[in-house]
Amino acid sequence: MPSNNRRAAIVGVGQTDFGMLYANKDARRNAQGLAAEALRAAIDDAGIAKDDIDGLVTSWVDYGRMATVLGIRNPRIIYDLHGAGRMSGMAVQQAAALVEAGAADTIALVYGNNGRSVKMRYGGGTANPIVAYDTMYGQTSAGAELAMMYRRYQYEYGVPDGALAPIAINNRRNAARNPVAVMRSEISEQEYLDSRYIAEPLRLLDYCIINDGGVALIITTLERARALRKRPVTVAASASRGDLWNFYASPDFFYGACQDVARRVYAKSGLGPADMDCVQIYDNFTPTVVFSLEGFGFAKQGEGWEWIKGGRIATEGDRPLNTAGGHTGESYMQGWAHHVEAVRQIRGEGGERQVAHCDTAQYICASPIVSSHVLTGE
Amino acid sequence: MDTEALLKIMPAVTDANRPFWEGTLAGELRLQTCDDCGTPRYPEAPVCPRCLSENATWRAASGRATLWSWIVMHQNYLAAFADELPYLVAFVQLEEGPFLYSTLVDAPAELRCDLPLEAVFDEVSPERALPKFRVATA
């Protein structure tokens, strides 16, 4: 084996203005157009030329049309990942590994989602005959799967109603300080409790938004990153593990898979939960945050719902969480925008919501594919 | 319940699942059970998820189960359930191991996880019956 010291770094991040897009509810947008707008911003952010890109990974949008729209004709790496939230972490993990392996030098990751324009509901009828075994009882949507898990979690650990409020409130507080967020107003605990049930025990304010937008990231070698203008953000460790069976709902709340991923990212990075200056947690629905915090050792099993209380997760707290507002406040970009925020925090570009002295950030996604990365500033 | 809409979203009866659906009409919850390692599975699948064997026999489960969790759905996603809102969906573990989504009939006002359940069969049409559960009386 030849020696290989290539390390991967994120050098460009870009996204659309989610709030502006949300304000015009009648617009019919093109997913590739949204992705392209984000990539243009990421290229500007990195200070590279479009022709420096020699790899393209897409999600939600298919690789062929996307490469055509972008005029990236001969990439060394080219494929798409389907448009599920668990795939944003996989895209970053794979692109970093491909750069480190030398399969490409500069990979653009692009995501464009026009779910609001096309009135996506993430629940309802299905053509999948196996999923029909669930739908015939009215069991539909990922939110209903999380609600099922959360009811059980409440039973196992004696968790009272309203325990998820601090997560919803924190997201909206951070979103109010994020100029591109969809939701710019804060919410009170009472407003949270008064919001209607969707899949009880989960309420509307436990749910992600459905909105249009695009996100892009550019990953290259650390060596190249050092020659660019902004602080390189290295992918210090990344790992994943499936928890796949007939249902989204996991009887151990993804704990076993999370623990395995946690062990590997902490061992490789030499860092642990106490070293993370901020945490960006995939929050399709608020219980996912609790499951993630426990699975990755921030809180003990069964205690995540108490751990989030008392301002610990606020931007000025001990463990700032979802500093851009997450999926319930900023935008439902299926984890993609969480990566952008991690990079911005490490660079000190968080504006009003900047965490003091941020050098490390962890991304966590607890879902049927659990993934996590530790990102560090050079 | 809009029965016509419900029948439309139920899985079509195929060669792969016919014994299951014939079972529900006969008052049995039949599980495809591996001939080589004995692992039962739900719903139908081409091979055993434990040993990959294609050899399987449909066997009647006991109908005994426990309530792992439940939700009350308030959102209108499906025409079949539009006039049922809010409705209960149960996540149930069969005594034999497999989990399935279902619902409860005559659900008591106070439910809790791990309640013992027993299967009942709701004849949606002369051709189709849907397995459901009620809190076990024994």
Side-chain angles (χ1 to χ4, degrees):
Chain A
M1 289 275 290
S3 70
N4 179 4
N5 296 317
R6 284 166 65 109
R7 289 175 61 202
I10 303 173
V11 293
V13 294
Q15 101 271 68
T16 55
D17 183 331
F18 308 119
M20 197 187 70
L21 293 172
Y22 199 79
N24 179 359
K25 67 179 184 340
D26 298 321
R28 303 281 291 168
R29 300 186 183 90
N30 174 282
Q32 284 86 7
L34 294 163
E37 183 184 339
L39 181 61
R40 205 164 54 230
I43 288 170
D44 287 348
D45 180 62
I48 64 167
K50 192 191 94 175
D51 291 345
D52 293 334
I53 294 168
D54 66 351
L56 177 66
V57 178
T58 72
S59 179
W60 224 92
V61 286
D62 78 279
Y63 73 85
R65 178 64 185 154
M66 195 69 241
T68 304
V69 165
L70 296 172
I72 297 178
R73 187 156 188 178
N74 301 118
R76 293 192 169 107
I77 290 297
I78 175 78
Y79 63 95
D80 55 38
L81 296 164
H82 81 108
R86 62 197 79 163
M87 289 304 171
S88 55
M90 301 316 300
V92 169
Q93 176 180 107
Q94 292 166 6
L98 289 164
V99 163
E100 287 176 0
D105 292 324
T106 303
I107 302 182
L109 313 180
V110 302
Y111 171 86
N113 180 339
N114 64 344
R116 192 168 188 235
S117 283
V118 300
K119 299 185 163 47
M120 277 194 71
R121 300 188 70 215
Y122 297 93
T126 172
N128 180 329
I130 294 302
V131 174
Y133 279 93
D134 308 340
T135 316
M136 67 185 180
Y137 295 106
Q139 174 68 3
T140 184
S141 78
E145 299 272 330
L146 260 299
M148 205 61 83
M149 291 166 74
Y150 187 63
R151 168 99 62 193
R152 179 76 192 191
Y153 176 87
Q154 287 184 289
Y155 166 74
E156 289 188 14
Y157 300 110
V159 183
D161 185 35
L164 298 166
I167 298 166
I169 292 166
N170 181 65
N171 269 2
R172 291 288 291 266
R173 182 171 181 268
N174 291 339
R177 289 156 180 74
N178 175 356
V180 302
V182 168
M183 300 293 174
R184 299 300 311 280
S185 60
E186 297 195 30
I187 54 166
S188 66
E189 184 172 15
Q190 198 56 51
E191 282 173 276
Y192 170 83
L193 292 170
D194 290 343
S195 71
R196 67 187 176 93
Y197 284 120
I198 304 291
E200 190 183 345
L202 297 189
R203 298 172 163 89
L204 179 66
L205 292 177
D206 292 307
Y207 271 61
C208 57
I209 309 157
I210 295 176
N211 62 292
D212 291 347
V215 181
L217 304 166
I218 296 171
I219 297 186
T220 188
T221 61
L222 179 56
E223 190 186 6
R224 284 172 188 240
R226 285 174 178 148
L228 297 172
R229 61 182 178 213
K230 291 196 172 172
R231 184 184 192 189
V233 174
T234 64
V235 183
S238 178
S240 57
R241 182 141 191 180
D243 184 354
L244 299 160
W245 69 323
N246 201 48
F247 309 97
Y248 188 109
S250 161
D252 77 346
F253 318 114
F254 305 113
Y255 188 77
C258 284
Q259 286 270 286
D260 176 69
V261 173
R263 268 192 299 276
R264 289 184 285 142
V265 292
Y266 295 147
K268 179 152 191 222
S269 65
L271 300 168
D275 301 312
M276 299 307 156
D277 296 326
C278 70
V279 199
Q280 307 297 337
I281 298 186
Y282 185 84
D283 50 353
N284 46 357
F285 309 94
T286 54
T288 309
V289 174
V290 175
F291 304 153
S292 300
L293 289 168
E294 294 180 12
F296 283 82
F298 290 86
K300 288 190 182 132
Q301 203 172 7
E303 295 180 7
W305 64 278
E306 293 191 288
W307 189 91
I308 56 175
K309 291 181 191 170
R312 174 183 259 146
I313 61 174
T315 297
E316 63 278 18
D318 288 346
R319 209 63 60 211
L321 194 153
N322 291 357
T323 45
H327 285 144
T328 71
E330 183 190 34
S331 178
Y332 180 55
M333 289 291 107
Q334 300 193 301
W336 287 89
H338 289 61
H339 288 86
V340 170
E341 178 66 5
V343 170
R344 292 225 170 103
Q345 286 290 341
I346 289 171
R347 289 175 174 174
E349 296 175 346
E352 241 190 298
R353 61 182 194 281
Q354 178 63 44
V355 169
H357 314 296
C358 184
D359 294 312
T360 56
Q362 185 172 9
Y363 172 76
I364 298 171
C365 174
S367 72
I369 302 177
V370 174
S371 65
S372 180
H373 339 286
V374 173
L375 306 178
T376 57
E378 254 259 298
Chain B
M1 176 67 73
D2 183 337
T3 304
E4 238 170 76
L6 175 63
L7 287 167
K8 269 189 210 150
I9 61 170
M10 286 174 68
V13 178
T14 64
D15 290 345
N17 65 23
R18 187 165 287 109
F20 176 81
W21 292 107
E22 287 174 353
T24 63
L25 282 168
E28 284 184 357
L29 193 58
R30 293 179 190 160
L31 298 177
Q32 216 174 5
T33 305
C34 178
D35 290 340
D36 293 292
C37 77
T39 303
R41 58 189 189 257
Y42 170 92
E44 75 270 10
V47 299
C48 172
R50 183 163 174 263
C51 74
L52 305 185
S53 167
E54 293 178 10
N55 307 316
T57 304
W58 291 86
R59 296 185 194 286
S62 69
R64 286 189 291 273
T66 52
L67 181 64
W68 191 81
S69 186
W70 79 97
I71 62 161
V72 178
M73 179 62 90
H74 292 253
Q75 184 80 0
N76 183 11
Y77 283 110
L78 297 157
F81 290 85
D83 56 8
E84 298 289 306
L85 293 167
Y87 61 88
L88 184 149
V89 185
F91 198 29
V92 163
Q93 185 173 24
L94 300 177
E95 184 177 59
E96 291 79 5
F99 280 70
L100 70 161
Y101 281 118
S102 187
T103 191
L104 302 183
V105 298
D106 305 325
E110 290 292 311
L111 277 176
R112 64 168 177 80
C113 297
D114 288 337
L115 273 178
L117 305 175
E118 59 195 19
V120 294
F121 297 87
D122 178 14
E123 239 172 75
V124 178
S125 77
E127 289 83 37
R128 302 299 296 269
L130 206 50
K132 297 183 177 178
F133 290 83
R134 68 176 170 222
V135 175
T137 46

